[in-house]
Structure formats: C-alpha cells, structure tokens
C-alpha cells in the first residue's frame, strides 16, 4: 500500500513539473511564481518547491527578481534528441537503399562519451547478427569504424586523453591498442573521409564507415556496412560515402556530392 502511494506521489510530481514547463513554454518572457502557480493550477508553495528542484537541475532558470524561464538543460537535451532521433528517421530510407545495393548489414552509430551507440540497423539476412552491432549496442571508439570517425574529428590532445582514459583495450589480435598505431590510422581517415574496421572488434567481421554531418557541419553520426571478412569488399567505400552524403544533405549539410 505504501509503495503504491509513493508511486502515485511520484507521478503527481512529474505531472506538476510538466504543467509548469507548459506554462513556461507558452510565455516568452520570464514568469513570476504567482503567474506560474495560477496558470498551472498549483498552490504557490507547491510550485515553488518543484521549481527549486527543477532549477537545481538547470531545467528551469531562476532570475534575481524571482521570475523563471526555461533552463539551458532543455536546450542540451533538445540537441541530443535532434542528433539521435531525427537522424534515425532521416537515415532509415537511405540505409535501406544501401542495404539493397550491397546486400549486407548497414549500421548507424552516434557517439556517447568514449563509446559508439548503434541507433539503427538493417539486417544482412545472410549471417547471424553480431551482438556489437545490435541496435542499442555499444563499443569503444577505437575498435569500430564509426568510432574512429569521431576520434579522427578530435584534436591530437583529445585523442591522447581518450587513450589515457580507456587504456585502448583490445578485443582481437588486430585491435589498435597503441597510440602511435591509432594516430596513424586516424590520419588516414582524415585524408580519405572513410574508416575501416579490420576484424578489430570481432574476428571474421569487417566494417567500412563514412561520416554524416549536420547543418552546422558537425559530425553527428557514422554510417557503416558490416560483413563477414570473406564477403567484405573495400570498393563499397564509394557507395557508403555517397549515401552518407545524401543523409547529411537531408540534414541540411551543404557539401558537394561525390562523383
């Protein structure tokens, strides 16, 4: 009974928080506690308590005169949603076209801190699905073709910091576990705008990836094709890069198409 009451209370708090956010979203200028309480239907003391918790999480911002506006954390979260969810939706039809052209699994990955997260995938239909490439699967940046794209976009000092943080652990004898070897690989990626995974995450599996940039020119995702080594074809790189460019243009990125 107590557990049910606690759950009901938690839901009420969330509902009240959302009602306060709705009021703040509807009014462009800073909003007083009095107006927030009236428009949300909450008692001023209840609204004040919830707003204090929201302000501590930067979901709302409290100004010196006691008024409130939406907080910077919402912008950060909105940008994450933009980069992760909308890219999936935009990329999916292009991924399907690429899959039909090549006949192998196509993956879409984004960076989260020191890992790649795979947010979309087309099944190859010809081989068992590798766990590392399941939707929602994660892998260290330096062990994947998509992850290397993001490391190549980093500065030399950021790459060194990544190496110190992670220790560059390996999964196969082909994994790049030394910084000098990784630097050499990243330099090649910067020159050619394409990355390879040569059985570095899993024996018998190879990958080719190309970058996807948004309307601001930022690297937001990587498009890759993974296939068993005996079916891998490095010439796929041209088609993968062209498809990644199509997705980027759909996101608003201005870049000349590959011939």
């Amino acid at each position: 009974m107590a557990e049910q009451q606690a759950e009901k209370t938690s839901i009420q708090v969330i509902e009240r928080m959302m009602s306060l956010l709705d009021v703040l979203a509807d009014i462009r200028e800073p909003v007083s506690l009095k107006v927030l309480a009236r428009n949300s239907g909450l008692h001023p003391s209840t609204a004040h308590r919830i707003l204090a918790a929201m302000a501590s999480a930067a979901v709302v911002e409290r100004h010196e005169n006691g008024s409130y506006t939406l907080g910077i954390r919402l912008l950060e979260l909105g940008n994450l949603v933009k980069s992760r969810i909308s890219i999936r939706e935009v990329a999916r039809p292009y991924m399907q076209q690429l899959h039909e052209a090549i006949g192998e699994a196509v993956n879409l990955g984004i960076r989260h801190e020191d890992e790649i997260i795979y947010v979309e995938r087309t099944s190859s239909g010809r081989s068992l699905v590798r766990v590392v490439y399941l939707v929602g699967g994660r892998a260290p940046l330096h062990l994947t073709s998509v992850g290397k794209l993001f490391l190549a976009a980093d500065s030399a000092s950021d790459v060194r910091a990544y190496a110190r943080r992670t220790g560059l652990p390996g999964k196969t004898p082909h994994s790049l576990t030394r910084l000098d070897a990784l630097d050499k690989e990243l330099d090649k990626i910067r020159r050619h705008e394409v990355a390879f995974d040569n059985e570095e995450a899993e024996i018998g599996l190879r990958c080719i990836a190309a970058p996807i940039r948004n309307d601001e020119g930022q690297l937001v995702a990587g498009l890759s094709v993974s296939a068993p080594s005996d079916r891998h074809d490095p010439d796929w790189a041209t088609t993968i890069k062209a498809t990644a460019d199509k997705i980027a243009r759909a996101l608003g990125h201005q870049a000349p198409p590959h011939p």
Side-chain angles (χ1 to χ4, degrees):
M1 189 69 178
E3 184 178 339
Q4 290 178 339
Q5 183 60 40
E7 182 180 354
K8 182 179 179 182
T9 301
S10 297
I11 293 172
Q12 286 178 339
V13 170
I14 294 171
E15 290 173 344
R16 290 167 177 174
M17 181 184 73
M18 293 307 300
S19 68
L20 289 167
L21 286 175
D22 286 340
V23 175
L24 288 167
D26 288 340
I27 303 175
R28 297 181 66 88
E29 63 270 10
V31 188
S32 68
L33 175 62
K34 180 179 179 180
V35 172
L36 278 165
R38 185 185 67 227
N39 289 15
S40 64
L42 298 176
H43 190 278
S45 63
T46 301
H48 183 267
R49 186 173 65 252
I50 295 174
L51 286 164
M54 294 166 71
S56 69
V59 174
V60 302
E61 182 179 354
R62 186 180 188 277
H63 301 278
E64 290 184 2
N65 64 358
S67 62
Y68 296 85
T69 55
L70 296 175
I72 192 68
R73 182 60 179 153
L74 294 175
L75 177 62
E76 295 170 352
L77 293 172
N79 284 334
L80 285 175
V81 171
K82 178 183 175 183
S83 66
R84 295 178 183 179
I85 303 303
S86 64
I87 289 174
R88 282 185 67 192
E89 295 169 356
V90 170
R92 194 177 291 121
Y94 296 100
M95 292 175 67
Q96 190 59 40
Q97 291 171 13
L98 181 61
H99 169 67
E100 291 169 2
I102 291 179
E104 301 291 351
V106 179
N107 315 287
L108 183 71
I110 62 172
R111 180 176 186 168
H112 178 66
E113 297 177 351
D114 290 338
E115 294 180 313
I116 283 298
I117 301 176
Y118 293 94
V119 295
E120 190 60 83
R121 184 183 197 273
T122 68
S123 176
S124 71
R126 293 200 287 168
S127 63
L128 293 176
V129 174
R130 267 72 174 184
V131 173
V132 72
Y133 295 114
L134 286 173
V135 171
R138 296 169 178 258
L141 297 176
H142 68 289
L143 294 183
T144 69
S145 56
V146 173
K148 290 178 193 175
L149 292 173
F150 282 92
L151 286 175
D154 280 349
S155 66
S157 61
D158 285 341
V159 174
R160 287 195 299 272
Y162 168 83
R164 285 195 302 270
R165 283 194 307 272
T166 63
L168 299 181
K171 283 194 174 181
T172 78
H174 304 287
S175 301
L176 299 177
T177 56
R178 297 193 333 269
L179 181 57
D180 59 343
L182 179 60
D183 280 337
K184 185 176 180 181
E185 181 85 355
L186 297 180
D187 184 57
K188 189 187 304 181
I189 293 168
R190 293 181 188 109
R191 291 198 310 270
H192 299 289
E193 286 280 290
V194 65
F196 293 86
D197 163 12
N198 296 311
E199 302 187 49
E200 294 158 52
E202 182 175 337
I203 290 294
L205 185 68
R206 296 194 176 200
C207 243
I208 307 173
I212 297 172
R213 292 183 169 83
N214 65 8
D215 56 335
E216 299 175 358
Q218 298 170 329
L219 177 62
V220 292
L223 181 73
S224 70
V225 169
S226 54
S229 298
D230 59 355
R231 295 205 301 261
H232 171 83
D233 184 349
D235 290 340
W236 290 336
T238 301
T239 306
I240 296 167
K241 288 169 71 175
T243 303
D245 283 348
K246 289 178 183 177
I247 297 171
R249 286 196 295 274
L251 293 172
H253 180 59
Q254 300 296 319
H258 285 279

